[in-house]
């Protein structure tokens, strides 16, 4: 349970880090919070020859909120995302998701960029990024590119990133004041990865019916999924208990979890129904006009 | 190279010049090179919390940190929590309500909650239990640790109000 030998690099700024990544290529791994890479290296599932420590790149630890967008630097720690007052105002869905990642000590070190690149199928950030149509900003010494989160996360622990590239930021669409949201998950113990997690946003039209539902589910496949059929069918349904039950059932019918000896597919599907109902209820309550 | 490198580490206010291999975790350097064996090592993958120390005042897993990364940072271990032999309210509460048995998990719990209680001065039981999920204890069944954290919070509030 000790890591293999490596050479350690500690660049002081992004340009130096990108220069190192360009030179070292596949032999190097960037190190952010170390909360996923550390265990992988201790278990020797990862044995990079070179480790490029990103922790001095303070220019990647930021939260910028504009009228339309919340842009968060890749090195921003989970704890900051969970507690930042600006994120709480502009994107409370993301704050709630961040509060549920691992444990207090894990959240002090783990970063947004590290979580997205690690791409655990049950990770909170990938789910929220895909649900909110977020964009991932990627830099190398060669170029800068911006990739939709849904294309960035390709499969289990597989993302669209070349060996010389670093994620520098993620751009989320900010929620409108009239927009309801829900984030709910189920895990067996606090701090475990979710068996099922659901993120969603919705609006209400002039008659109080549901419009613009975005619904993402995590933990049921190799990557978080949007349930387009449910999103479409929800449109113009009355925002009541009956509709919530129907949509939650439909969500469960539209996922295809794998059977696993500890977590049978049927159990996970039932969790999708229960967790979706909870998230929908939360979102609808947030859009009730005070009367 | 992968050969040992010279670093200087600031631990509990004192600076130490060391030569360490980059692959050596902070937990191992604290224990083996500095003799600070109060930092315990259980799982070595971030789950048990026994190795929790403070990096610049924030709790972190010493088993997921390499000592070479820590130059320029202030580290705090369990050895420096009691000030001139006087236990903190949290340490006192743990001893008073039987919040530890073998004590293997205790250093990590103390360092986590010394900071957590500053963030959450008036916690409820559910909040404490959620925070405690990051520290595994094989002995106590957690009941008395939860009691101790709540008692310490009350004591610290009285202290702050006085
Ligand atoms: C006990 C425990 C419980 C956890 N529970 C959860 C949980 O419930 N939900 C959850 O989502 N996560 C959980 N995690 C994982 C945690 O969120 C990690 O912080 C996260 O997955 C990785 O972020 P990091 O900053 O620690 O990255 P690292 O571990 O440093 O790196 C992870 C990967 O990303 C790469 N990388 C990092 N930053 C960049 C960058 N800017 N550009 C390109 N590549 C980069 C690294 O090379 C590595 O491959 C848990 C971890 C532990 C130890
Ligand atoms: S030894 Fe570090 S968390 Fe278990
Ligand atoms: S007191 Fe023995 S592990 Fe907690």
């Amino acid at each position: 349970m000790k890591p293999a030998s490596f050479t350690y690099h500690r660049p002081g700024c992004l340009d130096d880090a990108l220069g190192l990544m360009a030179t070292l290529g596949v032999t190097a791994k960037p190190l952010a919070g170390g909360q996923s890479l550390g265990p992988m290296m201790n278990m020797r599932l990862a044995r990079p020859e070179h480790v490029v420590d990103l922790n001095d790149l303070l220019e990647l630890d930021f939260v910028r909120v504009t009228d339309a967008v919340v842009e968060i630097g890749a090195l921003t720690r989970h704890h900051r995302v969970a507690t930042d007052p600006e994120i709480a105002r502009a994107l409370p869905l993301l704050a709630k998701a961040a509060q549920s990642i691992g444990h207090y000590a894990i959240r002090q070190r783990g970063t947004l960029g590290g979580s997205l690149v690690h791409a655990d199928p049950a990770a909170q950030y990938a789910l929220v990024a895909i649900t909110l149509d977020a964009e991932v900003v990627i830099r190398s010494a060669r170029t800068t590119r911006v990739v939709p989160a849904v294309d960035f996360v390709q499969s289990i622990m597989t993302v669209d990133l070349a060996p010389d590239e670093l994620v520098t930021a993620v751009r989320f669409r900010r929620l409108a004041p009239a927009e309801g949201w829900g984030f709910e998950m189920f895990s067996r113990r606090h701090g475990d990865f979710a068996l099922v997690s659901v993120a969603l946003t919705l609006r209400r039209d002039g008659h109080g019916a549901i419009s613009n539902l975005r619904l993402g589910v995590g933990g049921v496949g190799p990557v978080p999924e949007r349930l387009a059929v449910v999103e479409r069918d929800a449109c113009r349904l009355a925002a009541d208990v009956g509709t919530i039950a129907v949509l939650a059932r439909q969500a469960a019918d539209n996922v295809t979890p794998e059977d696993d000896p500890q977590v049978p597919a049927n159990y996970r599907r039932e969790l999708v129904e229960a967790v979706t109902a909870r998230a929908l209820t939360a979102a609808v309550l947030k859009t009730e006009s005070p009367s | 190279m992968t050969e040992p490198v010279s670093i200087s580490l600031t631990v509990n206010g004192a600076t130490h010049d060391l030569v360490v291999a980059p692959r050596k975790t902070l937990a191992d350097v604290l224990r083996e090179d500095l003799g600070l064996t109060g930092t315990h090592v259980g799982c070595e993958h971030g789950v048990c919390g026994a190795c929790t120390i403070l990096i610049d005042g924030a709790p972190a897993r010493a088993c997921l940190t390499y000592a070479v990364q820590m130059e320029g940072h202030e580290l705090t271990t369990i050895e420096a929590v009691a000030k001139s032999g006087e236990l903190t309210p949290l340490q006192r509460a743990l001893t008073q309500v039987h919040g530890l048995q073998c004590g293997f998990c205790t250093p990590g719990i103390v360092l986590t909650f010394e900071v957590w209680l500053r963030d959450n001065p008036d916690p409820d039981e559910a909040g404490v239990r959620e925070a405690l999920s990051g520290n595994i204890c094989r002995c106590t069944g957690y009941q008395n640790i939860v009691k101790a954290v709540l008692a310490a919070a009350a004591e610290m509030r009285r202290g702050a109000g006085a």
Side-chain angles (χ1 to χ4, degrees):
Chain A
M1 293 290 292
K2 310 285 181 195
S5 293
F6 58 83
T7 304
Y8 175 73
H9 306 266
R10 187 169 174 175
C13 64
L14 179 59
D15 283 338
D16 289 354
L18 292 173
L20 278 165
M21 295 309 295
T23 319
L24 301 170
V26 287
T27 63
K29 276 261 181 210
L31 170 65
Q35 304 301 292
S36 294
L37 187 56
M40 301 267 291
M41 287 176 58
N42 283 354
M43 293 187 248
R44 307 240 174 152
L45 296 170
R47 343 174 29 136
E49 269 176 64
H50 298 271
V51 167
V52 178
D53 191 346
L54 306 182
N55 283 282
D56 283 351
L57 309 188
L58 299 182
E59 65 260 57
L60 299 187
D61 177 3
F62 66 84
V63 174
R64 270 184 226 127
V65 179
T66 65
D67 288 348
V69 173
V70 179
E71 181 165 0
I72 304 178
L75 199 70
T76 311
R77 317 271 172 192
H78 305 335
H79 183 69
R80 176 162 181 201
V81 176
T83 55
D84 184 280
E86 280 199 281
I87 295 180
R89 259 194 308 276
L91 203 53
L93 166 57
L94 185 69
K96 183 167 182 199
Q99 287 155 18
S100 73
I101 299 176
H103 316 286
Y104 187 66
I106 304 299
R107 295 195 293 273
Q108 309 290 324
R109 297 293 294 170
T111 67
L112 173 61
S115 173
L116 273 184
V117 174
H118 185 63
D120 188 286
Q124 282 85 340
Y125 283 145
L127 169 65
V128 173
I130 287 171
T131 305
L132 295 182
D133 301 307
E135 294 174 329
V136 182
V137 184
I138 297 165
R139 292 259 325 252
S140 66
R142 298 169 284 128
T143 166
T144 301
R145 60 194 182 100
V146 178
V147 181
V150 67
D151 298 327
F152 180 73
V153 186
Q154 294 174 325
S155 184
I156 301 181
M157 295 185 185
T158 309
V159 294
D160 173 13
L161 197 69
D164 65 339
E165 288 179 321
L166 293 175
V167 172
T168 57
V170 183
R171 291 182 191 145
F172 294 90
R173 188 181 61 89
R174 135 176 224 169
L175 295 191
E179 210 163 357
W181 59 272
F183 174 85
E184 299 288 338
M185 59 180 253
F186 181 86
S187 59
R188 290 222 172 97
R189 296 172 303 188
H190 277 305
D192 282 6
F193 275 98
L195 290 181
V196 164
S197 51
V198 170
L200 57 85
T201 66
L202 56 79
R203 295 178 193 232
R204 305 279 286 275
D205 67 17
H207 308 284
I210 293 174
S211 70
N212 300 86
L213 175 68
R214 290 160 193 267
L215 168 60
V217 183
V220 294
V223 297
E225 298 166 31
R226 288 279 286 277
L227 300 185
V229 181
V230 187
E231 292 183 352
R232 194 192 58 219
D233 290 359
C235 213
R236 284 197 283 281
L237 295 181
D240 58 21
V241 180
T243 296
I244 289 172
V246 168
L247 293 175
R249 179 72 242 160
Q250 204 188 354
D253 289 341
N254 278 281
V255 296
T256 48
E258 272 189 27
D259 234 348
D260 156 336
Q262 269 145 39
V263 192
N266 254 340
Y267 174 55
R268 231 187 260 265
R269 203 173 287 115
E270 283 174 14
L271 280 176
V272 169
E273 181 171 357
V275 175
T276 305
R278 285 216 299 265
L280 278 168
T281 306
V284 165
L285 286 175
K286 289 190 182 74
T287 54
E288 296 288 305
S289 43
S291 51
Chain B
M1 291 297 109
T2 65
E3 276 95 69
V5 292
S6 299
I7 56 165
S8 99
L9 276 193
T10 307
V11 186
N12 303 330
T15 301
H16 306 267
D17 293 318
L18 300 168
V19 178
V20 299
R23 75 184 192 102
K24 200 153 182 187
T25 66
L26 178 59
D28 287 347
V29 167
L30 290 171
R31 291 175 58 82
E32 295 169 7
D33 298 58
L34 296 179
L36 296 171
T37 52
T39 300
H40 294 166
V41 176
C43 66
E44 296 189 315
H45 58 270
V47 174
C48 76
C51 68
T52 306
I53 48 101
L54 306 186
I55 302 176
D56 300 326
R61 304 300 202 223
C63 72
L64 300 183
T65 309
Y66 305 105
V68 280
Q69 294 185 270
M70 289 295 112
E71 229 176 6
H73 296 279
E74 301 267 341
L75 305 173
T76 309
T77 67
I78 190 66
E79 285 84 356
V81 174
K83 296 280 177 275
S84 23
E86 187 168 341
L87 299 184
T88 64
L90 175 61
Q91 289 175 309
R92 264 201 312 276
L94 281 162
T95 62
Q96 282 162 0
V97 306
H98 204 60
L100 62 143
Q101 290 178 29
C102 78
F104 189 82
C105 65
T106 314
I109 288 176
V110 168
L111 285 161
T112 305
F113 280 92
E114 291 290 351
V115 179
W116 189 84
L117 282 171
R118 259 181 270 146
D119 262 5
N120 302 272
D122 193 6
D124 60 10
E125 184 181 330
V128 172
R129 282 186 182 278
E130 184 171 349
L132 193 54
S133 71
N135 298 81
I136 291 176
C137 174
R138 291 294 203 203
C139 303
T140 63
Y142 303 103
Q143 297 296 77
N144 291 339
I145 303 176
V146 174
K147 254 192 232 163
V149 173
L150 290 170
E155 170 70 27
M156 288 159 75
R157 287 197 304 277
R158 271 196 299 277

